[in-house]
Amino acid sequence: MQVPFYGHVRQYHKIRSEIDANIHEVLESGQYVMGPMLKRFEQELAEYHGMKYAIGVGNGTDALWLTFMALGIGPGDECITTTNTFFATAEAMWIAGATAVFVDSDARTNCIDPAAIEAAITPKTKALVPVHLYGQCADMKAVRKIADKHKLLVIEDNAQAFGAHGDGFKIGELSDAVCTSFIIQKNLGTFGDGGAVVTNNEQVDRVVRRLRNHGSEKRSCHSFGFNSRLDDLHAGVLSAKLKHIDEWNDLRRKHAARYTAGLAGAKTITLPYEAPGYRHIFHLYVVETRNPAHRDPFLEFLNQAGIDAKCHYPIAIHQQEGYPWGKQARIAGPIPNSERNAACCISLQCFPN
Ligand SMILES: *Cc1c(COP(=O)(O)O)cnc(C)c1O
């Protein structure tokens, strides 16, 4: 038996009529770029977050660096984040010209360890960039407190936790902006690439909107910008899927609970941890082998058995080739938890359908 890692086609079949209707609406409208479907989805997205603005962009990486740019984060500035994340978190800092500063992650949640942040702050520190890894929010209350004390910006990398929330806080509530990715393998994904910035900050809204469209606010008038738009076809797919995201996340949670019950008592692996009061949406169900030497053989065993398990992410950012990319990255303090996470993680299948 083959057990696939994703269920994209099954998901499409479940709500095919809704997706097809939106696609046809776009096709018949004749407006495919910056059209009414994009506007509609942006409105729905802002409403979903209970926030003022949402701006669709080309992908999650652009969402991050366009936000950095809109907030004036650039060369000479340091952004504090974690190294056990998808490469793009640091890549976006590199693109903006800023320096990524890595601190350790929490031993249990694998998100940024607030206790490690203060020691890494220097006069150059401009922003904190917590990643809501695997579907669980970072401890945003603690992050916010540190940001207030040191007058720092906070940008949430929410490529992996769409629909999650913390203990008494929503995503976006305690930061300057939230950056999301809609590439198909994320829990809210389109049939291709996409991303968005969600914010209450009028400046972020105005500048990202301008930057994503060749620096243009008014037809034929430009300041320098880029081309990073969310196409209306993708906005239509996402608009259809957004109506189901809470139900799909509930199913992810249900499957995760089944794993957790079935694997309780396993002595050679550690199961995912859900912080009290948090809604973990299990974008990924990640176990860790207690012994790092067991990880690769275990993964190979599963794959040989037809179970398409994966690793997110076996090579942490600071372990990638070329690090530290012209000194645009550095590690502040020991990062044993992030290194353990990279060495021991295995993602088991966890998708709604
Ligand atoms: C996927 C992802 C991104 C980048 O998103 P793209 O749409 O692929 O550019 C950024 N950060 C994290 C944590 C991600 O998982």
Side-chain angles (χ1 to χ4, degrees), residues 55 57 59-74 79 92-93 95-96 126-129 153-157 175-180 195-201 203-205 207-209 211-212 226 228:
I55 312 104
V57 296
N59 54 67
T61 310
D62 288 359
L64 283 164
W65 71 264
L66 291 170
T67 300
F68 296 156
M69 200 166 261
L71 287 166
I73 299 167
C79 299
M93 296 169 189
I95 294 170
K126 186 116 182 211
L128 307 179
V129 184
L153 297 162
V154 181
I155 297 100
E156 296 174 70
D157 181 338
S175 69
D176 296 279
V178 183
C179 299
T180 304
V197 180
V198 188
T199 183
N200 281 327
N201 182 319
Q203 176 188 325
V204 171
D205 177 63
V207 179
V208 171
R209 229 168 252 293
L211 290 176
R212 74 166 173 187
F226 309 88
S228 181

Side-chain angles (χ1 to χ4, degrees), residues 90-253:
E91 189 182 25
M93 296 169 189
W94 180 81
I95 294 170
T99 299
V101 175
F102 302 115
V103 298
D104 205 12
S105 45
D106 179 84
R108 293 193 295 180
T109 66
N110 289 312
C111 296
I112 198 165
D113 178 6
I117 294 175
E118 280 202 284
I121 294 173
T122 73
K124 291 181 176 172
T125 308
K126 186 116 182 211
L128 307 179
V129 184
V131 180
H132 303 322
L133 199 71
Y134 303 151
Q136 176 159 242
C137 300
D139 181 353
M140 290 301 297
K141 283 185 184 164
V143 168
R144 183 71 255 166
K145 232 181 240 169
I146 298 164
D148 286 342
K149 183 169 159 198
H150 296 272
K151 301 209 162 28
L152 303 173
L153 297 162
V154 181
I155 297 100
E156 296 174 70
D157 181 338
N158 191 33
Q160 301 194 4
F162 195 101
H165 65 67
D167 182 16
F169 67 86
K170 292 199 281 189
I171 286 175
E173 197 178 342
L174 299 172
S175 69
D176 296 279
V178 183
C179 299
T180 304
S181 164
F182 300 128
I183 189 169
I184 181 66
Q185 60 260 43
K186 308 297 187 188
N187 67 315
L188 178 63
T190 185
F191 303 122
D193 276 299
V197 180
V198 188
T199 183
N200 281 327
N201 182 319
E202 191 272 335
Q203 176 188 325
V204 171
D205 177 63
R206 184 168 34 84
V207 179
V208 171
R209 229 168 252 293
R210 190 176 69 209
L211 290 176
R212 74 166 173 187
N213 190 33
H214 304 292
S216 177
E217 279 179 76
K218 220 171 87 189
R219 196 178 162 73
S220 302
C221 301
H222 301 267
S223 60
F224 282 102
F226 309 88
N227 177 351
S228 181
R229 298 172 296 230
L230 180 66
D231 295 333
D232 280 58
L233 281 172
H234 290 307
V237 172
L238 291 163
S239 171
K241 287 193 176 190
L242 182 63
K243 295 174 180 63
H244 298 274
I245 192 68
D246 289 341
E247 165 202 332
W248 288 341
N249 283 338
D250 283 342
L251 284 168
R252 286 176 184 273
R253 287 176 57 77

Side-chain angles (χ1 to χ4, degrees), residues 14-35:
K14 280 236 151 162
I15 59 159
R16 182 186 218 151
S17 61
E18 295 158 58
I19 289 176
D20 288 1
N22 280 3
I23 288 176
H24 279 272
E25 189 179 325
V26 174
L27 293 180
E28 294 293 340
S29 77
Q31 292 173 276
Y32 312 127
V33 181
M34 306 277 278

